[in-house]
Every structure is written in structure tokens, then in C-alpha cells.
Amino acid sequence: MKNFWRRLRLYGFGFGIGLIMVFFFFRNRGCTWLPENRVKNTFLGRVLVVSEDNQRIFDQHHLTDSMIESFLNDGSIFFGSSKKQGNPKVYKIEKEVNGKSVVLWFSMPENAFIAEVVWPKGSIQQFKNTTSGLGRMIHFPPNVESFVFLKDNSIMNEQMKKFGIKDEKQIQFLMKKAGLIDFSKSRLNAEPVPEQYVLLPRKQGDTLKARTTWFKEHIEFYQFEENKPE
């Protein structure tokens, strides 16, 4: 019996050391059960968007798209000073960039496929979704072959034919190339699900416009609008 308890203590000690090593050395590359990584993975599974106003600030601080995305890889979330209740939820994430500590806010409207990255301003508890201007798409769900779904009905089929849309792959290509969110025409607080108004530039003077929602882990395009020149 004495040997049993001795082996049990040794096992527990080794297990504890292993947990500590995993937490400190691999916490940003695994252990999805950790609260911080659950939040980060949720953001990484969305389309990250930067508004025009925030883009100007990021440019002033020389923050590139890859730098912004890296906050979700090895940045630190401050849960105590984040907005964890209400809609949208907003998380304060800090990371060292070029030798300086930088803080960004990552906002996620409930049941939306977009998440907005913003430069901190005012109170995080009073943060509201952006409602004007355009937002540039800078990140898309990784390791997903297709995240676009085109609603299958007679109206959509007619619209696709009219606007020269072939399939989901074409839409996904345009999104990754130069996709934009029109905040002024989006309804991020709509019920039962938010509506995001997407702009897909195809060539000069030709922008495809669509109303979309988040449906079963896919971006559902359910209505294309008149393809008028900008």
C-alpha cells in the first residue's frame, strides 16, 4: 500500500509538471480548452474586418494585416478589462510589436460572421458596432475549403445568371481579393440573425453587392442587388 501511494504521488507530480509545461510553452498553439484560446479560436474562425477610420490609425502605427492577425496567435487577453457581456462582446488583447506594447480591441457582434479590429478609444464597456463607412476584410477562416454558401432558389439563380456569378468559389475568390463590408447598410443587431452587406469589387466601376448572414458555419449569400457602377 505504501508503494501504491508513493507511485500515485510521483504520477501526480509528473502530471502537474506536464500541465505547467503545456500551459507556459504551448498555450498559444494548443490547449483549446483554455479560456484564452477558446476566445482566440472563435475570432480566427470569423472574417476580421478593419474600418476605414481604424485603417488610418493602423497605418500611422505601421501595423500590417499579418501583425494584427498575430495578436490572436501570441497576444495576451485581459479578461478583467474586456467587455464579456452584452452585444457585441469586446476583448482587450495586448502584444509587443517592434519593442513596444500595443493594445487592440477585438469586437464580435453576436451571431455575425464578421469580427471587427479596432484601436482603443473611450470605454470598452460602451463600445458599439461601427455603423458608417466601409470595412476591409483582412482575415478569413483558416483550413476551410469553402466558407461561402449561395442560397438555392429560383430568385437567386436568376440573380446569379444576371450578374454573371458562376459558383461559391468565384464569390470566395472575390472576398479574399478585395472584399468589403458596408457598415451603413449592414444590420448587425437585426433579429433573428445579423445581416452583413458585402461589396465585391470585380473591376473598375463594377462592384457586386450582396446581403448575407452567418448560417451553419458558412457565409450565406441570399440576395444580390443591382450591379450599378460606384
Side-chain angles (χ1 to χ4, degrees), residues 23 38 70 81 83 88 103 129-130 147 169-171 182 195-196 205 224:
F23 180 80
R38 287 206 304 269
S70 72
S81 50
K83 182 187 176 188
V103 172
N129 294 320
T130 297
F147 53 78
K169 290 183 178 180
Q170 181 185 8
I171 296 298
D182 188 333
E195 180 182 270
Q196 289 109 127
F224 289 99

Side-chain angles (χ1 to χ4, degrees), residues 40-49 108-116 139-142 196 214 217 219:
K40 289 178 177 178
N41 287 334
T42 301
F43 277 108
L44 288 170
R46 299 294 191 269
V47 176
L48 295 184
V49 177
M108 182 177 294
E110 189 173 351
N111 297 322
F113 69 77
I114 66 168
E116 189 178 357
H139 162 87
F140 300 88
Q196 289 109 127
W214 186 235
E217 304 302 314
I219 301 170

Side-chain angles (χ1 to χ4, degrees), residues 4-20:
F4 170 77
W5 287 112
R6 180 173 179 272
R7 289 196 298 270
L8 186 62
R9 286 196 299 271
L10 287 174
Y11 172 80
F13 177 76
F15 183 73
I17 291 295
L19 285 178
I20 293 172

